[in-house]
């Protein structure tokens, strides 16, 4: 929904940034793995692992930015995403060193959410023509809202089907707040 979101929220003049936003959305898939590692490293008395992760991220990102800069901002975005994927993989490796047997469950969970995200994208893509036919455009606040709702409902329904216990535990936590 990047083109529609950009046009509705920022205006037509921002449409050239569509590809860059789409690339950065890929990075969002890796952030939970990296962000969750930080407090674990702290709690297990290994705060230096956060430094190591940052160094790996920088060591990958800096040369990639230099190599991909000729491809404009999209190339730089790709460099940043690749660096974050490598950084996330390094974090999983470090977590495995601290807590053996974490690689396989982490990879399985990440793969599951990638599949759920892929099905959500497919559902939204299939609904785009329907919304465009009914409303006349997918670049209106109403049509964008409908498509976001379709994506959200699809993802939540799939998450409930595949991770019911986890979702119910999250609901219980939220009720307690």
């Amino acid at each position: 929904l990047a083109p529609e979101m950009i046009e509705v929220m920022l205006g037509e003049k921002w449409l050239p940034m569509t590809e860059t936003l789409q690339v950065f959305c890929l990075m969002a898939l890796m952030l939970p793995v990296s962000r969750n590692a930080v407090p674990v490293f702290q709690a297990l008395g290994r705060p230096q692992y956060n430094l190591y992760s940052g160094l790996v991220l920088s060591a990958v990102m800096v040369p990639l930015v230099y190599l991909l800069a000729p491809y404009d901002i999209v190339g730089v975005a790709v460099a940043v995403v690749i660096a974050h994927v490598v950084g996330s993989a390094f974090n999983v490796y470090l977590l495995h060193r601290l807590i053996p047997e974490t690689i396989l469950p982490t990879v399985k969970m990440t793969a599951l959410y990638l599949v759920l995200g892929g099905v959500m994208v497919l559902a939204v893509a299939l609904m785009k023509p329907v919304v465009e036919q009914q409303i006349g455009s997918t670049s209106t606040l109403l049509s964008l809202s409908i498509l976001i709702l379709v994506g959200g409902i699809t993802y939540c329904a799939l998450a409930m089907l595949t991770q019911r216990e986890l979702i119910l535990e999250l609901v219980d936590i939220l009720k307690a707040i």
Side-chain angles (χ1 to χ4, degrees):
L1 292 174
E4 293 83 4
M5 192 170 286
I6 290 170
E7 190 169 351
V8 169
M9 298 176 85
L10 301 173
E12 212 173 286
K13 70 180 182 179
W14 286 93
L15 282 174
M17 74 172 278
T18 299
E19 288 179 355
T20 305
L21 178 61
Q22 290 169 326
V23 170
F24 278 131
C25 284
L26 296 173
M27 186 173 69
L29 298 172
M30 303 312 301
L31 289 179
V33 174
S34 292
R35 297 270 160 80
N36 287 331
V38 172
V40 174
F41 296 154
Q42 301 280 67
L44 294 176
R46 296 286 198 274
Q48 68 272 23
Y49 281 16
N50 291 316
L51 172 66
Y52 302 157
S53 294
L55 291 173
V56 166
L57 184 70
S58 297
V60 173
M61 190 182 306
V62 170
L64 280 178
V65 166
Y66 179 76
L67 289 171
L68 296 176
Y71 300 97
D72 297 320
I73 192 166
V74 175
V76 172
V78 168
V80 170
V81 170
I82 291 170
H84 277 276
V85 169
V86 172
S88 291
F90 185 70
N91 279 345
V92 170
Y93 164 75
L94 291 176
L95 286 168
H96 175 72
R97 287 185 60 191
L98 291 171
I99 309 168
E101 309 293 325
T102 56
I103 288 180
L104 189 58
T106 302
V107 169
K108 281 182 177 178
M109 190 62 73
T110 303
L112 172 66
Y113 288 112
L114 288 174
V115 169
L116 297 183
V119 174
M120 178 187 69
V121 167
L122 180 62
V124 170
L126 291 172
M127 278 302 291
K128 269 187 181 184
V130 175
V131 169
E132 187 167 21
Q133 182 182 12
Q134 295 300 315
I135 297 176
S137 170
T138 55
S139 295
T140 67
L141 184 57
L142 176 61
S143 59
L144 179 62
S145 299
I146 291 168
L147 292 170
I148 289 171
L149 189 62
V150 166
I153 290 170
T154 301
Y155 191 86
C156 289
L158 290 170
M160 193 65 162
L161 287 172
T162 60
Q163 298 293 305
R164 184 174 179 80
E165 289 177 28
L166 184 64
I167 300 295
L168 292 175
E169 184 179 331
L170 180 61
V171 169
D172 287 342
I173 290 170
L174 292 174
K175 284 180 182 176
I177 294 178

